[in-house]
Amino acid sequence: MKKPQLRSRSRVAYVNGRAVPMTLLEYRLLCELKSARQLGRDELEKRLWPDETSYNPNRLDVTLWKLRRRLGEGSITNRSRVGWSLNKRLRVVVGGEEGPKEGPPER
């Protein structure tokens, strides 16, 4: 099984050689999860919506659910009362990198 990868400019993850487009919010969530070992609800909400004082508490849950569906089962793990983390088997490439050599070419 090939490791999933991500292209930052196009917000496309490569999962088992298959391109998976993401929304901006899903991409930002993936980057936040990549940047830390584990992030709790309060920290993720502050990072994703820093200027908002009132928000829908289900918004994070829905975004996590959508990202999990796109990346595949087991891609994001949760520890009760601790937070979420990106599965170590998920290889995320960010920045100016061109993405996976074995993946399909970008259109």
Side-chain angles (χ1 to χ4, degrees), residues 34-51:
K34 181 190 179 299
S35 72
R37 277 187 53 194
Q38 193 116 22
L39 288 170
R41 177 175 294 279
D42 290 341
E43 185 62 28
L44 274 173
E45 288 173 347
K46 286 178 191 173
R47 290 180 181 206
L48 293 173
W49 301 284
D51 299 329

Side-chain angles (χ1 to χ4, degrees), residues 22-23 25-34 38-45 48-49 56-79 82-87:
M22 296 181 187
T23 66
L25 188 55
E26 291 164 350
Y27 174 77
R28 287 180 55 213
L29 175 57
L30 181 60
C31 289
E32 292 300 336
L33 290 170
K34 181 190 179 299
Q38 193 116 22
L39 288 170
R41 177 175 294 279
D42 290 341
E43 185 62 28
L44 274 173
E45 288 173 347
L48 293 173
W49 301 284
N56 180 343
N58 293 325
R59 183 165 51 179
L60 179 60
D61 295 327
V62 170
T63 306
L64 281 161
W65 176 77
K66 288 179 179 180
L67 185 57
R68 278 182 172 136
R69 279 188 47 197
R70 289 185 190 275
L71 297 179
E73 189 173 328
S75 57
I76 299 171
T77 57
N78 176 271
R79 287 186 55 206
V82 176
W84 292 271
S85 61
L86 201 57
N87 191 313

